[in-house]
Amino acid sequence: MTEQQPQPQPQEEGLITHPPHSPHPPHRHADWMFGGVYGTVLASALLAALNQDGEDFTPFYDASWVLVTAATAGLAHGYAHHMASHREDSGHGHRWRRLARALWDEWPLVVATLPTVLLLTAAGLGDWDAYDVTAGGLGLNTALLFGWGVLVALRVGHRLGRSLLFGLADAAIGLAIIVANALIK
């Protein structure tokens, strides 16, 4: 009789699981593609929400809030992943290292908001019009979402035609934010 080896579990949203009796605890690897899409969507939603008609345009304040919100979302997301994979039998020091790793793995989410932050900073320095900055930023982020969709699809092995469809699907999220911004305001 041959002993069956446990089969590794598939990766799902950056979380890698191991067989129940594996000596290796589950841990999360950096998933920069997920963070890129999530951070870009977050930046778009914030850009749309922070600029209100009839109020003063405060691009430096808005840029600060985009960064603070992205960092907070990254910390919350990393902490949630850590708690979801938390094991009672792991040592105290190991637990803290795993938490630090889970938090560090969220850096792509914050980095993906930087185009919006830089646009808002340039708008503050150049005294640009609020409507133009918001429209331009939402358009830029929609283009970035298209790029993320195509890049991720190509990276996981899809052909170019199908990858372009994935890019269009991601861009549709950006278009939905643009439409919501127009309807709400």
Side-chain angles (χ1 to χ4, degrees), residues 30-140:
D31 189 350
W32 56 270
M33 295 179 283
F34 169 79
V37 171
Y38 188 79
T40 304
V41 169
L42 179 68
S44 292
L46 289 168
L47 181 62
L50 287 170
N51 178 25
Q52 299 296 319
D53 288 337
E55 292 183 9
D56 290 337
F57 182 46
T58 55
F60 295 122
Y61 173 84
D62 294 353
S64 300
W65 270 110
V66 170
L67 274 179
V68 166
T69 303
T72 304
L75 289 172
H77 193 252
Y79 181 73
H81 271 284
H82 171 72
M83 292 307 293
S85 65
H86 185 73
R87 296 177 79 181
E88 192 62 40
D89 60 345
S90 64
H92 184 68
H94 182 67
R95 184 177 313 135
W96 287 106
R97 281 192 304 274
R98 285 183 43 226
L99 174 60
R101 177 62 189 218
L103 296 176
W104 173 252
D105 285 348
E106 297 301 324
W107 68 265
L109 187 154
V110 178
V111 170
T113 65
L114 291 182
T116 301
V117 170
L118 293 174
L119 176 68
L120 287 166
T121 302
L125 294 172
D127 197 31
W128 297 346
D129 178 62
Y131 176 81
D132 293 340
V133 171
T134 302
L138 292 176
L140 170 67

Side-chain angles (χ1 to χ4, degrees), residues 150 153-154 156-166:
V150 172
L154 289 171
V156 298
H158 291 285
R159 295 185 190 275
L160 181 60
R162 191 163 181 90
S163 297
L164 292 172
L165 291 175
F166 280 106

